[in-house]
Amino acid sequence: MMSERYLAARGTAPDSATGRLLTEGMDGFWTNVIAPKDQDGDGKVDLREMTEGFRRVLTDPALYPERIEPVTNCFFDLVDLNGDGKIDQAEFQQMFDSVVGVLGEDCAAVFAALDPDCSVALDRAEFHKAVTEFFYGNDPNAPANHLFGRVVG
């Protein structure tokens, strides 16, 4: 569903090269990361299974290149609406608001926190750093914790 939302928000056809790449990446993420969490074999992954599974599977940053990086690259390319190799705040806002429902003020704050060099754009390395921090970080105050919306304690 997430890849469908990104493709729709960007106006990218699902059968395009980018659409197929993202769909294949998300399918691989499901097959290699999510589906194995279905402990009771009911074909669904409930919250308990997902939480326990993520604790097991997403604890080793060495697995990032295999499990997360391909999907992150696809999402980067989709969010980079003008194809300049960077995600500016407007692109970030448009995609995250339309796909994940991150509010404008939250999105602006998250973007600013993820842009440590204040270049007003995220390059691919900065985006990967944020996603890596989101999945593998242990700092409760890390900006990437809010990548998909503000976490309120």
Side-chain angles (χ1 to χ4, degrees):
M1 288 176 59
M2 191 173 206
S3 59
E4 289 173 8
R5 288 180 192 155
Y6 269 97
L7 293 171
R10 181 166 185 179
T12 299
D15 61 347
S16 68
T18 300
R20 285 191 309 274
L21 194 62
L22 179 61
T23 301
E24 289 169 10
M26 289 303 287
D27 287 348
F29 186 73
W30 172 263
T31 300
N32 296 318
V33 178
I34 307 293
K37 294 173 183 50
D38 180 15
Q39 297 170 1
D40 59 13
D42 67 355
K44 299 175 186 173
V45 179
D46 63 32
L47 181 59
R48 181 192 56 76
E49 290 170 325
M50 180 70 84
T51 303
E52 289 176 12
F54 272 138
R55 280 191 187 125
R56 284 193 313 274
V57 176
L58 294 178
T59 56
D60 184 358
L63 296 175
Y64 181 87
E66 173 190 337
R67 300 211 171 151
I68 309 295
E69 185 175 347
V71 177
T72 302
N73 280 327
C74 290
F75 281 118
F76 182 91
D77 293 337
L78 285 170
V79 176
D80 178 17
L81 297 172
N82 64 8
D84 67 354
K86 299 175 185 165
I87 298 171
D88 64 31
Q89 185 173 341
E91 291 168 325
F92 189 84
Q93 174 71 48
Q94 179 180 345
M95 294 304 289
F96 279 80
D97 182 42
S98 63
V99 175
V100 189
V102 178
L103 301 175
E105 59 274 5
D106 289 347
C107 210
V110 169
F111 183 86
L114 296 177
D115 183 24
D117 62 359
C118 300
S119 66
V120 295
L122 301 177
D123 62 26
R124 194 173 297 268
E126 289 170 323
F127 193 68
H128 277 288
K129 180 180 184 289
V131 173
T132 300
E133 188 175 79
F134 178 81
F135 281 111
Y136 302 106
N138 58 10
D139 177 0
N141 299 313
N145 291 342
H146 307 286
L147 185 60
F148 297 105
R150 186 178 301 249
V151 177
V152 181

